Amino acid sequence: MPEPLCIRPFPEPSQVPGREPVNFSCEFKRLQHMDHIPKTILLVEDDGIIAMNTRYLLEKDGYRVLHAFTGEKALARIREGRGAIDLILMDVDLGRGMDGTETARAILGAYDIPVVFVSSHTEKEIVYRTEQISSYGYVVKDSGEIVLLASIKMALRLHAAHRQNLLQSQELARANEQLQSLIRNTEEANEELRCTHDAILEREAELRESNERMRALVEHSPLGSHSYRLEEDGRLVFTGANRASDPILGIDTNGLVGKTVEQAFPGLLGTE
């Protein structure tokens, strides 16, 4: 005769690959607080006597209990939405109509509620069927009060941990989306800066080319031309002359470069 299976063990968070170590002190305090919050359990059991005994046991432990005799009634109770249901205690054999696995599959397809199966079956096939639907526990009937209550508490805590992980994953996804948006905006801004920089370089090249053409025109002009630099104190400093200037004036202006206009051409003093 096979050994009765009371509850399926779950891995500790620290044993799951890729998970950060858990601060068990904080986690224990959080779970202690969670244990004091009244929970509502939907009991799906077709046997009236078993349902009555189970309900008494759960209410004695502080749970609020709702009862449905069939899978169809359990679905209807959930769809009514009259108050939150924190956990479903599901009998596998529910007589005529939907059995426990069918009912659980229908519920979990639309609602996020932990389901703990209760059954007198210990066959591997039955246990395997429930494992494909819900991962929150399988309790063999007549396993005792301690096993049942411990299974319920473990399922509630596991579900709360899953919800927390889901919220953290969603928050991480939102943060990643914001980061990607920031990266895209930064790349667009960088592209605009590159375009502006290229335009500035192009404009500077055009100005240099224009200045070179202007200097060439002045240098080869038949008219004499002098160039000066305006200093901050208002003085004009002679910086050079074109080719036609010296023959026209009959002087060599190379020695005048760097002198003020008054020093280079003293004859201009007093003239307009």
Side-chain angles (χ1 to χ4, degrees):
M1 183 174 179
E3 180 180 354
L5 175 65
C6 295
I7 184 169
R8 291 180 297 150
F10 301 104
E12 291 292 333
S14 59
Q15 297 173 345
V16 179
R19 286 288 299 275
E20 293 295 328
V22 177
N23 186 328
F24 289 102
S25 177
C26 295
E27 184 68 8
F28 180 70
K29 291 179 181 178
R30 187 182 70 83
L31 294 177
Q32 276 187 320
H33 174 70
M34 187 178 70
D35 287 343
H36 288 83
I37 301 175
K39 302 293 183 182
T40 298
I41 295 177
L42 175 60
L43 172 62
V44 187
E45 171 62 64
D46 64 325
D47 188 306
I49 295 177
I50 294 177
M52 182 178 63
N53 291 335
T54 305
R55 182 169 195 159
Y56 171 77
L57 173 66
L58 296 176
E59 289 179 341
K60 185 179 69 171
D61 204 55
Y63 295 103
R64 177 174 177 263
V65 181
L66 307 175
H67 177 230
F69 279 100
T70 66
E72 290 81 0
K73 289 182 179 180
L75 278 168
R77 173 69 72 121
I78 294 173
R79 287 167 180 165
E80 288 174 1
R82 294 185 299 176
I85 295 175
D86 298 294
L87 181 138
I88 300 172
L89 198 58
M90 179 76 69
D91 185 13
V92 174
D93 295 321
L94 294 174
R96 295 180 180 179
M98 299 175 68
D99 66 12
T101 56
E102 291 178 295
T103 305
R105 198 182 299 275
I107 292 172
L108 295 176
Y111 303 93
D112 180 24
I113 306 175
V115 177
V116 174
F117 287 100
V118 180
S119 177
S120 57
H121 294 281
T122 58
E123 297 89 346
K124 289 183 178 179
E125 294 77 10
I126 301 297
V127 177
Y128 178 77
R129 281 172 55 196
T130 64
E131 287 178 342
Q132 306 312 303
I133 302 169
S134 171
S135 60
Y136 288 100
Y138 185 97
V139 180
V140 176
K141 289 184 178 180
D142 299 325
S143 295
E145 175 181 343
I146 294 177
V147 172
L148 178 61
L149 295 177
S151 300
I152 291 173
K153 285 183 172 64
M154 180 179 290
L156 288 170
R157 294 177 181 182
L158 181 61
H159 181 255
H162 285 175
R163 289 289 296 266
Q164 183 65 25
N165 287 341
L166 177 61
L167 291 175
Q168 290 175 347
S169 297
Q170 292 173 343
E171 183 178 349
L172 181 60
R174 284 193 297 269
N176 183 63
E177 184 178 348
Q178 293 174 353
L179 178 60
Q180 294 301 321
S181 176
L182 179 60
I183 291 174
R184 288 193 298 269
N185 292 339
T186 302
E187 290 175 347
E188 292 174 0
N190 287 338
E191 182 61 27
E192 292 179 1
L193 286 174
R194 281 193 293 270
C195 291
T196 302
H197 182 258
D198 291 345
I200 291 173
L201 292 178
E202 184 178 351
R203 181 58 179 162
E204 288 178 346
E206 292 176 354
L207 288 174
R208 283 194 299 270
E209 185 179 349
S210 176
N211 288 338
E212 290 297 328
R213 287 197 301 268
M214 181 62 69
R215 275 194 291 270
L217 287 173
V218 171
E219 182 65 23
H220 296 89
S221 172
L223 301 177
S225 175
H226 288 181
S227 59
Y228 296 89
R229 181 179 68 249
L230 180 63
E231 300 290 344
E232 293 182 358
D233 57 6
R235 294 178 303 140
L236 283 177
V237 177
F238 181 75
T239 59
N242 67 348
R243 295 177 181 179
S245 176
D246 285 4
I248 293 174
L249 296 177
I251 62 173
D252 183 3
T253 58
N254 287 328
L256 304 179
V257 174
K259 294 182 178 182
T260 64
V261 66
E262 293 83 1
Q263 294 170 338
F265 306 102
L268 295 178
L269 293 176
T271 62
E272 291 291 333

